[in-house]
Amino acid sequence: MSNWMSKTDYEQWVASTRAERMAWWREARFGMFIHFGLYSQVGRNEWVMSLENYPIAEYEKLAETFNPRPGAPRQWAELAAKAGMKYMVMTTRHHEGFSLWDSKVNPYNSVNYGPKRDIVAEFVEACREFGLKIGFYSSLMDWHHPDGWRCAFDTEARLRFTHYLTELNRELLTNYGKIDVLWYDVAWPMTSWEGWDSLERNQIMRQLQPHLIINNRSQLDEDFGTPEEHITASEHDWEACMTFNGLSWGYVDSAQAIPYSYNAQRIIKMLQTTTLGGGNLLLNVGPMPDGSVPPEAIEPLTTVGRWLAENGAAVYGKKVKFSTWPASGVGGMSCDGANIYLWNWVWPRGGEMALGGFASPLRAVRLLKDGSPLQFEQRGHRILLKNLPPTPPDQTAGITVLQLEFDGPPEFHFASYYPQLHQGVDYAGENKI
Ligand code: GLC
């Protein structure tokens, strides 16, 4: 215990090494979350054990029938790469307490039961095959472990349980080579970092994997925030995690559910919101009982991947905060310095489109997808694009990205509600961004 840094020293150290550790993450923008476990067989939410008050012995029977087909993680990773995602995070052990690896400290696992295989090993191998960074989701809450609830009021139980969690995660971060992200979840029933021994555990984890990125759910701020089912920007690094259907992280039988899932356009809109706000999107897929990707996720993700293959410059890489106000009513703008990427959702009829607010001289405008130049005129703060094709040039999703090239970060003045203010040289400067 005394070998460990104090909270203040630790947080300072984490902050001072963050930029280097997180360089890839800050540019990756888009990842796949996988929720897979015994609950996938039930198809009524990964919380089913708790929500439906399953007796433990009855729930354990699901371990016998759990039988993901060989190669399932490979399908996830292949689709993630195809979708333009750069990393994956998989539930190694969700709240149900079942480990998907060859755990020595948790015999309730996928090597002793069900498939008799190490699914984590298969996942890691698949990520590496497709060049994806690797994240492990690890629940703090555990409904199966006898100390999982006693820890809240029994000191001995608490010590046993927090030790158990450390050993589980030690296995995960020791046995599979380089791991990039540790994604904790649900610090309950205890509610403080002291209760969970997070300070010590996270230092151990960082010793095991010096480049590890840790999320903010172990009651310490660590590296990044995790808005869930909403996309809300913040000053610190953040990653919005979103379900694919607004219903559940674990598989739900889409034939039995309200038919709702994201199409490519909605996913691209989420990417726009995260990119403009400087964050990442971790989009969830809840594989079917046999581990297959639900069919309704395949087409949208593949389309997003095709769109990103042509328009990725608007999304990936270092982006600078630009105006949250738009230059027109047709979409948002991301910026990497000299380039503004205008995500167009409403292609104009009549071959012309105007953008308001840019005070810097524009060098060129092109279609991002193929670099073809567009004609333009710049009159004061107004850019007039001319001779545009009659239909959206983007054939993949209908969302065309225009690249506006300036000499450096452009000066931009939001209209301030009065278009006249854009005309004059005596612009007062309010709302200057
Ligand atoms: C939660 C839920 C959980 C899900 C997670 C994803 O807090 O308990 O089931 O895994 O969020 O962010």
Side-chain angles (χ1 to χ4, degrees):
M1 172 76 195
S2 53
N3 290 335
W4 304 115
M5 285 184 251
S6 69
K7 182 162 183 286
T8 314
D9 289 352
Y10 175 67
E11 284 174 345
Q12 271 172 11
W13 178 84
V14 168
S16 68
T17 53
R18 185 171 292 136
E20 196 241 316
R21 280 184 292 108
M22 294 192 67
W24 72 265
W25 189 95
R26 288 175 175 171
E27 303 200 350
R29 206 71 65 199
F30 194 22
M32 181 182 278
F33 214 169
I34 290 283
H35 275 70
F36 190 50
L38 303 181
Y39 49 80
S40 307
Q41 300 173 85
V42 186
R44 292 191 301 272
N45 197 295
E46 74 288 350
W47 271 69
V48 69
M49 179 178 176
S50 155
L51 296 176
E52 298 184 9
N53 294 168
Y54 265 71
I56 288 185
E58 190 182 331
Y59 194 86
E60 280 175 344
K61 290 188 189 139
L62 291 168
E64 300 294 349
T65 50
F66 185 55
N67 192 23
R69 64 178 177 78
R74 198 176 177 278
Q75 191 204 6
W76 313 337
E78 187 176 20
L79 180 62
K82 225 176 175 182
M85 292 160 161
K86 304 294 184 192
Y87 63 107
M88 296 186 79
V89 179
M90 185 192 71
T91 51
T92 60
R93 181 184 124 279
H94 205 265
H95 313 328
E96 65 182 5
F98 188 73
S99 288
L100 295 183
W101 75 96
D102 187 9
S103 175
K104 303 301 174 221
V105 293
N106 180 18
Y108 187 48
N109 70 51
S110 64
V111 172
N112 290 335
Y113 295 90
K116 308 246 180 342
R117 302 201 318 267
D118 188 323
I119 309 299
V120 169
E122 294 176 18
F123 167 74
V124 166
E125 193 187 323
C127 288
R128 296 212 172 107
E129 180 183 344
F130 290 96
L132 301 161
K133 298 275 186 192
I134 304 167
F136 286 164
Y137 165 109
S138 177
S139 179
L140 292 163
M141 177 161 73
D142 192 311
W143 299 323
H144 186 263
H145 194 284
D147 295 322
W149 60 281
R150 277 191 208 122
C151 60
F153 50 84
D154 173 337
T155 309
E156 291 300 311
R158 189 189 78 77
L159 289 173
R160 279 194 304 267
F161 187 56
T162 59
H163 177 72
Y164 173 68
L165 292 174
T166 301
E167 296 314 303
L168 285 172
N169 289 299
R170 187 196 300 280
E171 289 182 343
L172 286 170
L173 297 189
T174 304
N175 297 342
Y176 301 94
K178 184 166 184 272
I179 300 304
D180 303 290
V181 178
L182 179 58
W183 213 101
Y184 286 120
D185 195 21
V186 183
W188 198 85
M190 296 178 287
T191 51
S192 70
W193 58 269
E194 290 101 331
W196 289 100
D197 289 337
S198 293
L199 190 56
E200 294 81 11
R201 180 175 312 103
N202 292 359
Q203 289 181 64
I204 295 172
M205 299 306 130
R206 290 188 184 282
Q207 280 180 355
L208 295 170
Q209 298 275 343
H211 286 90
L212 193 67
I213 295 170
I214 303 181
N215 76 347
N216 67 342
R217 295 194 178 180
S218 63
Q219 300 291 342
L220 292 173
D221 283 343
E222 293 291 357
D223 290 322
F224 67 95
T226 53
E228 181 173 321
E229 288 289 57
H230 62 97
I231 302 179
T232 309
S234 71
E235 283 309 307
H236 301 289
D237 291 288
W238 60 278
E239 170 191 78
C241 49
M242 304 289 289
T243 61
F244 207 83
N245 50 25
L247 286 172
S248 164
W249 299 88
Y251 173 67
V252 285
D253 181 349
S254 56
Q256 301 288 108
I258 305 288
Y260 173 82
S261 70
Y262 294 123
N263 60 19
Q265 283 76 9
R266 290 199 54 167
I267 297 169
I268 294 171
K269 191 67 192 289
M270 289 193 258
L271 276 173
Q272 177 182 307
T273 312
T274 46
T275 304
L276 268 55
N280 285 6
L281 173 63
L282 186 65
L283 183 60
N284 184 69
V285 166
M288 301 167 75
D290 75 347
S292 306
V293 173
E296 65 269 23
I298 294 175
E299 189 280 320
L301 286 174
T302 310
T303 304
V304 170
R306 279 195 286 124
W307 186 87
L308 280 168
E310 294 188 328
N311 298 291
V315 177
Y316 305 121
K318 198 167 160 43
K319 294 284 178 282
V320 299
K321 276 234 162 72
F322 194 63
S323 172
T324 47
W325 294 101
S328 79
V330 299
M333 298 184 286
S334 49
C335 175
D336 64 13
N339 296 296
I340 296 289
Y341 303 96
L342 183 97
W343 307 44
N344 179 287
W345 292 77
V346 188
W347 194 253
R349 290 184 200 277
E352 291 202 353
M353 173 163 67
L355 308 172
F358 289 100
S360 304
L362 179 63
R363 291 286 159 235
V365 188
R366 353 187 145 77
L367 294 180
L368 182 59
K369 65 181 211 129
D370 59 9
S372 54
L374 299 175
Q375 289 176 31
F376 70 93
E377 252 176 55
Q378 196 166 14
R379 295 185 199 148
H381 290 188
R382 190 160 204 243
I383 293 169
L384 204 61
L385 306 176
K386 306 180 121 185
N387 298 324
L388 299 170
T391 51
D394 178 57
Q395 304 286 310
T396 310
I399 302 148
T400 303
V401 179
L402 304 181
Q403 180 189 6
L404 281 67
E405 186 192 325
F406 297 87
D407 284 333
E411 195 180 329
F412 179 75
H413 307 277
F414 177 60
S416 180
Y417 309 109
Y418 295 101
Q420 303 88 297
L421 288 178
H422 276 179
Q423 316 297 333
V425 283
D426 58 345
Y427 174 73
E430 293 93 357
N431 288 318
K432 185 169 165 179
I433 295 165

